Amino acid sequence: MKIAAIEQFFPRPRMRLVKVTTDTGLVGWGETTLEGKPRSTMAAVDELADYLLGKDPLRIEHHWQHVYRSAFFRGGNVLMSALSGIDQALWDIAGKHFGAPVYMLLGGAVRDRVRVYAHWGIGDLSDEGLARARERLDYLRAKGGYTAFKSGAGGKWRAHEPPAAIDDFIRRAYLMREWVGPEIELAFDFHGKMTPALAIEICHELQGMRPLFVEEPVPQDNVDALKLVSDHVPFPIATGERLLSRWEFRQVLEKQAVAFIQPDASHAGGITELKKIANMAEVYYIHTMPHCAIGPVALAACSAGGCRDAQLPHAGEHRAGLADGCGGDALAGGKRACGAADLSRSRDCHKRNRGTEAASVH
């Protein structure tokens, strides 16, 4: 069995999919969506196709190592996102070839259910803002049965903010707790906007409501700054969606800078690397919450590793491989994202076949 064609599809602005087809007709899907750089991974996948076309798709580890190690410049968000999507597609093919779900090829299931959270928050305290927040909360609890939610510190934050700005955020956070009660868990994402001092100050204000975690309190570049926050906060700190391989997670784990890590299956190296990162974290008693904020194929890839931050499809929906088409009903609430038929009609298609010199764009 050889790789015969690699195609890319762009059904939505925030969704980039790669389809790997073999000469036996088996097809694998992966997701290369890179937030903020939607066109960059297209070129990277096209370059990787030069190596992959004609190769055995089942040599997944070999291909991962070759792609990562053979280039003079390693890593980076563009290459790792492209490699992640290719890796997912190859695992999808392997699952279909062996007639087993990917989690069975990784060693079998370790749990039957995975708890997930939804994004919900109170954006402002106006009557309209409160009404919108209440409507969404009621919808999520009625339709999804969620028992955990995550909100964010919206807008821009400077190195220091006046008490009024901090107090407004804290009031909204405590109002969220008042609405949902102590049985529901709440987490907050700072999106790396804070300095260590400001993050510590705000976390101390949140302490009384017992957050599930605070995510990315400071930018991911400085592990010592992240550990400084963790050392001064009495509840879990999380990070990892912008870390791109086990090498970038190494210092976070060795310094035990967080309680939870959040590798992204479409940025950190795919399913292959996601499992290795989780195995490293286990040594330090740090929990892994795979991150997914993009499309349904990435969602399925996270679930193959026993994810927490993604919707877990029922076993019957993905009997062999990751997904039929591109995720079907894998999104929370049963919303259909995009099936194979949708992609075949997409006007945005980029295809590489074995033996062709240049790509054709349809």
Side-chain angles (χ1 to χ4, degrees):
M1 183 167 59
K2 305 295 182 184
I3 297 173
I6 296 177
E7 300 170 81
Q8 299 186 66
F9 297 90
F10 324 120
R12 295 183 181 179
R14 195 183 168 98
M15 191 184 297
R16 296 291 184 267
L17 304 177
V18 59
K19 176 184 177 184
V20 178
T21 303
T22 69
D23 57 1
T24 65
L26 285 182
V27 170
W29 288 94
E31 183 156 355
T32 61
T33 307
L34 179 56
E35 302 92 314
K37 297 180 180 178
R39 294 184 298 275
S40 299
T41 53
M42 175 179 171
V45 169
D46 200 35
E47 290 173 338
L48 296 183
D50 293 335
Y51 159 73
L52 290 164
L53 289 172
K55 298 294 195 303
D56 180 354
L58 299 181
R59 298 185 66 186
I60 300 173
E61 180 68 29
H62 173 81
H63 297 321
W64 198 101
Q65 295 290 346
H66 177 87
V67 169
Y68 185 83
R69 294 172 180 268
S70 64
F72 183 77
F73 292 101
R74 296 183 179 182
N77 54 20
V78 175
L79 174 62
M80 293 306 293
S81 297
L83 175 56
S84 296
I86 292 291
D87 182 82
Q88 294 166 18
L90 296 183
W91 276 109
D92 194 11
I93 290 171
K96 292 169 182 175
H97 176 77
F98 292 109
V102 169
Y103 69 80
M104 289 299 295
L105 304 184
L106 296 172
V110 295
R111 58 178 59 82
D112 297 318
R113 296 175 62 86
V114 173
R115 191 182 184 200
V116 300
Y117 60 76
H119 285 260
W120 167 74
I122 299 175
D124 63 76
L125 295 172
S126 67
D127 291 342
E128 294 81 3
L130 294 174
R132 286 193 300 270
R134 173 62 73 177
E135 181 180 8
R136 176 164 172 78
L137 175 62
D138 292 343
Y139 172 82
L140 290 171
R141 297 186 73 173
K143 299 295 184 180
Y146 290 100
T147 59
F149 301 97
K150 186 174 78 175
S151 185
K156 296 180 179 180
W157 289 77
R158 300 168 296 183
H160 174 78
E161 291 291 348
I166 297 173
D167 290 346
D168 179 70
F169 173 65
I170 298 302
R171 276 196 298 271
R172 288 183 281 119
Y174 274 83
L175 184 57
M176 290 171 62
R177 170 61 70 210
E178 180 181 327
W179 283 10
V180 301
E183 301 300 323
I184 301 297
E185 293 197 88
L186 298 173
F188 296 92
D189 190 348
F190 287 7
H191 299 289
K193 297 177 180 180
M194 312 290 182
T195 61
L198 183 59
I200 292 169
E201 178 183 359
I202 294 176
C203 285
H204 281 186
E205 294 292 332
L206 291 173
Q207 178 178 343
M209 62 170 297
R210 305 282 295 276
L212 173 61
F213 61 84
V214 160
E215 179 179 336
E216 285 195 329
V218 297
Q220 78 281 5
D221 311 275
N222 188 330
V223 178
D224 291 324
L226 185 63
K227 180 169 174 54
L228 178 64
V229 176
S230 288
D231 288 346
H232 288 82
V233 172
F235 51 77
I237 297 297
T239 197
E241 68 178 275
R242 288 185 270 189
L243 300 179
L244 303 174
S245 69
R246 76 199 95 145
W247 288 276
E248 294 195 10
F249 276 94
R250 181 179 64 83
Q251 282 196 12
V252 173
L253 298 175
E254 289 178 351
K255 295 186 177 184
Q256 296 190 302
V258 296
F260 303 144
I261 58 166
Q262 301 166 293
D264 192 301
S266 280
H267 301 319
I271 295 170
T272 297
E273 189 72 352
L274 185 64
K275 188 174 188 297
K276 294 176 181 178
I277 293 168
N279 290 153
M280 288 176 64
E282 187 178 11
V283 176
Y284 297 93
Y285 307 113
I286 293 174
H287 293 283
T288 300
M289 302 187 302
H291 177 272
C292 181
I294 42 179
V297 179
L299 201 67
C302 279
S303 71
C307 70
R308 182 168 183 175
D309 187 14
Q311 177 69 24
L312 180 66
H314 296 294
E317 291 180 348
H318 306 291
R319 297 179 187 272
L322 287 177
D324 293 325
C326 78
D329 297 321
L331 288 181
K335 295 180 180 178
R336 190 170 185 275
C338 65
D342 299 312
L343 291 178
S344 66
R345 295 192 297 268
S346 174
R347 65 178 178 85
D348 295 318
C349 171
H350 189 79
K351 183 174 182 179
R352 286 293 302 274
N353 291 309
R354 185 179 179 187
T356 57
E357 291 279 337
S360 59
V361 179
H362 303 282

